[in-house]
Amino acid sequence: MSDITAARDAALSDIAQATSPDDVATLTARYAGKKGELSGLKKQLGSLESIDDKKAAGAAINEAIAAVDAALATQRITLATAATAARVESERLDLTEYVGKPARGHAHLVTQAWERLEDVFVGMGFRVAEGPEVETDWHNFEALNMGEGHPARGEFDTLFVDHSPPDGRPGSTVLRTHTSPVQIRTMLTEEPPIYIVAPGRVFRRDTPDATHMPVFHQIEGLVVDRDISMADLAGTIDAFTKAFFGQNWNSRLRPSYFPFTEPSAEFDIQRPDGSWIELGGCGMVHPNVLTAGGIDPEEFSGFAFGFGIDRMAIMRHGVADIREMFADDLRFTEQFS
């Protein structure tokens, strides 16, 4: 029994002193398995005279072998983990671009204006609606009371998609020129009352300059309910102006013309210094547009309005050239965190 204890303790001591996976492999071959030193002690069991002594010695050998096997497994895992960590550390690459506190990014100027506008209108009771950027000419023009031959439907203003439409008519798929198609899609799928705003990206054949881009952003509002009037429109525009710009800003409506509204108006906002600036267009939804949206104009009425999100951002922050917002110049974008 003393030989078994000594052999076990010697094996455990050697295992504890192993410093690498290779050392553990060598000790495993020495102590574990049928040819290991501990298993070799079983050959001496025949020299014992008492059966009880043989049983006790055999059990002690098995316990010693189990203890050694467990120690080998533990040391194997410990040394393998340490070896992997050492290799990772030795092969680590420093990819830090600069030393110092990293700066956190922020939303683009247009995105900030977009989200602020959504928050204002949601606070006024509107819901945000969305629609596809690639539209049919029916949703983009005809349903909005712009029939065949309307100037806005020509290639001078519109970007057409090279696509074979289901009806086979060429030139019937476009990149939307405004977010107004969302109004049509909403009316076709929902019953009044409808109170929505539709922000989104739109496309036109514009030459980039200080105030125009071929890709820009608009937000449109639509209200359809019973007994809606121009007074409701004027009140909504004024409430929006004060909520977005401040209580010392005012608004006004000027007569105008749009094919999808009747009567139509331009709305201006008045700066605190007393000067006026045009913001967008609005008006009562034309009966033909309500009919195209599946709504009875004898029962319901509504108003709509729309303006450019990019222009709102420009006015709010005093940006002189709209192209600056799309130039990816960090010196510009970092000013609006």
Side-chain angles (χ1 to χ4, degrees):
M1 296 292 289
S2 60
D3 291 342
I4 295 172
T5 301
R8 181 200 63 193
D9 292 344
L12 294 177
S13 176
D14 289 343
I15 294 170
Q17 297 178 37
T19 58
S20 69
D22 290 340
D23 291 345
V24 175
T26 299
L27 294 172
T28 300
R30 178 179 175 183
Y31 292 114
K34 295 182 178 180
K35 296 182 179 181
E37 293 184 6
L38 288 171
S39 293
L41 292 174
K42 293 181 179 181
K43 297 177 181 180
Q44 301 180 30
L45 294 178
S47 63
L48 298 177
E49 297 180 358
S50 169
I51 295 178
D52 292 338
D53 288 344
K54 291 181 179 179
K55 290 181 178 180
I61 292 173
N62 289 333
E63 291 175 1
I65 292 174
V68 169
D69 287 342
L72 286 169
T74 300
Q75 192 72 334
R76 187 180 298 110
I77 294 173
T78 300
L79 293 177
T81 301
T84 299
R87 180 179 177 182
V88 170
E89 180 61 26
S90 66
E91 296 178 358
R92 184 175 65 89
L93 298 177
D94 185 0
L95 302 179
T96 305
E97 293 185 2
Y98 64 92
V99 178
K101 184 178 179 179
R104 184 177 181 179
H106 59 80
H108 188 274
L109 180 58
V110 172
T111 304
Q112 293 180 34
W114 182 323
E115 293 176 345
R116 180 175 171 82
L117 286 166
E118 286 185 344
D119 290 343
V120 169
F121 282 116
V122 169
M124 294 171 60
F126 286 80
R127 177 177 59 84
V128 178
E130 298 178 343
E133 294 180 351
V134 179
E135 270 291 9
T136 66
D137 63 347
W138 187 87
H139 288 91
N140 198 77
F141 297 121
E142 291 181 25
L144 294 164
N145 206 32
M146 290 183 281
E148 292 287 347
H150 192 282
R153 299 183 63 165
E155 293 184 357
F156 182 77
D157 289 325
T158 305
L159 292 164
F160 292 88
V161 176
D162 185 10
H163 171 68
S164 298
D167 60 10
R169 293 187 301 113
S172 62
T173 308
V174 303
L175 293 180
R176 66 182 181 185
T177 58
H178 45 194
T179 52
S180 300
V182 180
Q183 300 180 20
I184 300 298
R185 291 183 176 275
T186 301
M187 288 190 287
L188 288 171
T189 56
E190 299 181 15
E191 296 290 334
I194 296 172
Y195 292 80
I196 64 162
V197 287
R201 185 170 55 174
V202 298
F203 310 83
R204 292 182 190 171
R205 283 186 178 272
D206 285 339
T207 301
D209 58 28
T211 57
H212 297 86
M213 290 291 288
V215 180
F216 54 103
H217 305 83
Q218 282 187 340
I219 186 168
E220 302 212 8
L222 172 69
V223 169
V224 178
D225 207 342
R226 289 183 171 86
D227 303 320
I228 298 297
S229 67
M230 284 290 288
D232 298 308
L233 170 59
T236 299
I237 295 297
D238 193 61
F240 157 73
T241 300
K242 287 178 167 52
F244 188 81
F245 291 100
Q247 291 299 313
N248 55 346
W249 292 66
N250 298 305
S251 64
R252 70 182 181 189
L253 302 183
R254 291 182 292 104
S256 185
Y257 168 77
F258 302 105
F260 30 79
T261 52
E262 180 59 40
S264 303
E266 298 278 359
F267 64 92
D268 305 332
I269 57 174
Q270 186 182 34
R271 298 186 180 97
D273 63 5
S275 62
W276 291 88
I277 182 171
E278 177 187 331
L279 190 62
C282 61
M284 301 299 295
V285 180
H286 197 289
N288 292 346
V289 176
L290 289 174
T291 301
I295 294 176
D296 185 358
E298 297 295 329
E299 183 179 359
F300 295 97
S301 58
F303 64 76
F305 57 86
F307 49 86
I309 297 177
D310 312 86
R311 189 172 186 185
M312 295 290 289
I314 285 176
M315 289 190 297
R316 183 175 179 83
H317 297 285
V319 178
D321 193 325
I322 191 174
R323 291 171 293 188
E324 293 285 356
M325 296 197 297
F326 302 94
D328 294 330
D329 188 337
L330 289 177
R331 295 171 298 180
F332 174 82
T333 56
E334 287 178 346
Q335 298 178 63
F336 306 102
S337 59

